[in-house]
Amino acid sequence: MRNLFVFVLLLLSIFSSAQTSGPRFSKYPIGESTVQIYFPSQPDEVYVDYSPDSSMVYTVECTDSSTGQDFQFGAIVVNLKDEIEEDLQEELLVSYLDYLKESFNIESAAGYGKGHTLTTHESAKGIIDLWEDEDLQKWEITGWIAENTIVVLFEYGPDEYPNKSVIEIFMKGVRFSGD
């Protein structure tokens, strides 16, 4: 009986450590954009399109099931045609995030948290927010802008992602040209 008890404890220990370990991140290039992003799993093929002003727009997602639920991690990278003046960058990023809210049918938002920075790219400016869409999916987003590039990183799923360290790695896992 004692051996059975020890065996059950061992199984529970293995199971709980598997539950708390997160996905393994790898860096992936985003099309021809010169941006690289750390994703928690192999991303799908990068979709390339053009904005109305002819800026290149790259979109990519992957699914992470390491928690037992499916969560989507994704990125939108916009190579702007022209470099944006530093004092206009944050305003442009807010405008783009507002556009995405409408595109993704976001019904509620916590409100933009501005003033975020990347240690890997000093000129990058960041904005974070929490969203909920019409299907009650919970979103965490971080928008970055540096020189002539906008990067929006997002994660969404049926609940908040249970491991905040994974979210932090992903949201700061963008590498701009020259990093």
Side-chain angles (χ1 to χ4, degrees):
M1 186 67 154
R2 179 171 156 75
N3 287 342
L4 179 61
F5 179 73
V6 170
F7 179 73
V8 169
L9 282 178
L10 180 62
L11 282 178
L12 287 174
S13 172
I14 291 170
F15 181 71
S16 69
S17 68
Q19 290 270 2
T20 58
S21 67
R24 184 181 188 114
F25 281 84
S26 295
K27 184 169 52 172
Y28 295 93
I30 307 304
E32 303 295 322
S33 70
T34 71
V35 169
Q36 297 179 330
I37 296 174
Y38 284 90
F39 277 97
S41 64
Q42 173 76 40
D44 298 331
E45 187 174 332
V46 175
Y47 176 75
V48 182
D49 202 0
Y50 290 91
S51 69
D53 74 347
S54 300
S55 296
M56 299 243 356
V57 181
Y58 303 87
T59 307
V60 63
E61 286 191 48
C62 72
T63 302
D64 173 46
S65 302
S66 66
T67 64
Q69 290 182 296
D70 286 346
F71 289 90
Q72 297 302 120
F73 286 75
I76 301 168
V77 177
V78 182
N79 279 354
L80 301 166
K81 286 181 61 175
D82 300 310
E83 193 165 318
I84 305 303
E85 293 179 36
E86 190 174 339
D87 60 334
L88 299 175
Q89 288 179 340
E90 192 171 84
E91 181 181 331
L92 177 62
L93 183 54
V94 166
S95 294
Y96 191 65
L97 292 174
D98 287 344
Y99 164 77
L100 291 178
K101 278 187 200 177
E102 192 172 308
S103 297
F104 293 147
N105 299 312
I106 301 303
E107 293 194 345
S108 66
Y112 295 134
K114 299 177 181 178
H116 294 268
T117 60
L118 280 174
T119 58
T120 57
H121 200 85
E122 289 184 18
S123 67
K125 294 174 177 58
I127 296 175
I128 64 170
D129 205 356
L130 301 173
W131 296 346
E132 186 172 287
D133 67 23
E134 66 183 5
D135 297 324
L136 304 179
Q137 297 282 305
K138 311 269 189 270
W139 293 65
E140 293 191 43
I141 64 105
T142 300
W144 296 107
I145 188 166
E147 292 79 39
N148 67 330
T149 305
I150 293 175
V151 177
V152 177
L153 301 170
F154 56 87
E155 172 277 319
Y156 65 93
D159 295 309
E160 284 186 31
Y161 193 85
N163 187 336
K164 291 299 175 193
S165 296
V166 168
I167 296 297
E168 188 171 326
I169 291 168
F170 177 67
M171 296 300 180
K172 291 186 176 184
V174 60
R175 298 298 178 260
F176 290 93
S177 177
D179 289 351

